[in-house]
């Protein structure tokens, strides 16, 4: 069974030239590390749970696409989902970027959320936590009633999903209370959709690494947020990412020091 590498919050294309260069260089270093460390790459799926960019108004998706392409060229499978910065600058957004994001990273503007990928007996379900979380100073996210209803249908009645051994849901905004940033406005409704139904929830937005296993929270065995995979804030002396094997129940945390 394929292993899962979880990354998040790259924030490539920062508001300043220095920040933009720093974060892109860090991610390129991380890409080199992943390519050399995790072989064969075809045995891994990489999830990037939002905020691939930092300010799409200024920089668009070009730099993030170039760096992520290095992973796909190395034969990693990469799944991405948008965050609040991928539609704007983190607080102010423009809905035209919903379609532009799909074109840039899925090469298909007809994709809808929940986004389903069935890989090696694992159902990956990607959500857009900005579906109704537009333009707020607290950078909160919201899935919205329609997307949650579709998620419930997918988990419970989609034959492709139901027949999979494992179900992984990934989104950007954190659905549990964490320090720093506010998370998902409709977390209670999301809980009702996934409680006792999925094997893992991957998220980002909060830049502090968070890993919770076998706690019984919502009846979901695995919760993961690797923090910012480029160390955007520099409040930690290292950046980290997580690697999971759902079949064996094992996980590993990889860290390396920033410069």
């Amino acid at each position: 069974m394929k292993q899962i590498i979880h990354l998040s919050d790259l924030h490539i294309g920062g508001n300043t030239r220095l920040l933009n260069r720093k974060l892109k260089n860090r991610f390129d270093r991380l890409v080199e590390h992943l390519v050399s460390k995790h072989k064969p790459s075809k045995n891994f799926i990489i999830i990037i749970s939002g905020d691939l960019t930092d300010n799409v108004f200024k920089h668009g998706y070009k730099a993030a696409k170039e760096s992520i392409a290095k992973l796909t060229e190395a034969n990693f499978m990469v799944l991405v989902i948008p965050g609040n910065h991928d539609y704007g600058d983190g607080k102010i957004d423009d809905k035209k970027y919903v379609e532009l994001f799909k074109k840039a990273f899925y090469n298909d503007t007809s994709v809808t959320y929940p986004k389903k990928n069935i890989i090696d007996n694992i159902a990956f379900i990607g959500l857009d936590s900005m579906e109704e979380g537009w333009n707020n100073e607290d950078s909160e996210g919201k899935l919205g009633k329609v997307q949650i209803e579709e998620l419930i249908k997918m988990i419970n009645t989609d034959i492709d999903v139901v027949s999979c051994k494992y179900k992984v849901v990934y989104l950007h905004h954190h659905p549990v209370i964490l320090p720093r940033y506010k998370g998902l406005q409709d977390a209670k409704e999301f809980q009702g959709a996934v409680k006792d139904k999925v094997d893992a929830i991957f998220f980002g937005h909060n830049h502090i690494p968070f890993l919770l296993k076998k706690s019984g929270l919502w009846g979901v065995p695995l919760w993961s947020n690797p923090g910012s995979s480029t160390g955007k804030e520099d409040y930690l002396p290292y950046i980290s990412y997580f690697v999971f094997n759902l079949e064996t129940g094992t996980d590993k945390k990889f860290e390396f020091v920033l410069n």
Side-chain angles (χ1 to χ4, degrees), residues 209-223:
F210 174 90
L211 177 62
L212 189 62
K213 302 177 298 178
K214 301 178 181 177
S215 70
L217 182 64
W218 296 9
V220 178
L222 175 63
W223 295 71

Side-chain angles (χ1 to χ4, degrees), residues 97-127:
Y97 288 102
V98 174
E99 185 169 309
L100 292 174
F101 183 92
K102 293 175 184 178
K103 183 178 181 180
F105 295 103
Y106 306 147
N107 197 31
D108 182 359
T109 57
S110 68
V111 168
T112 58
Y113 304 100
K115 181 179 180 291
K116 178 182 71 175
N117 292 88
I118 307 298
I119 307 166
D120 201 14
N121 212 19
I122 306 172
F124 292 92
I125 302 172
L127 302 175

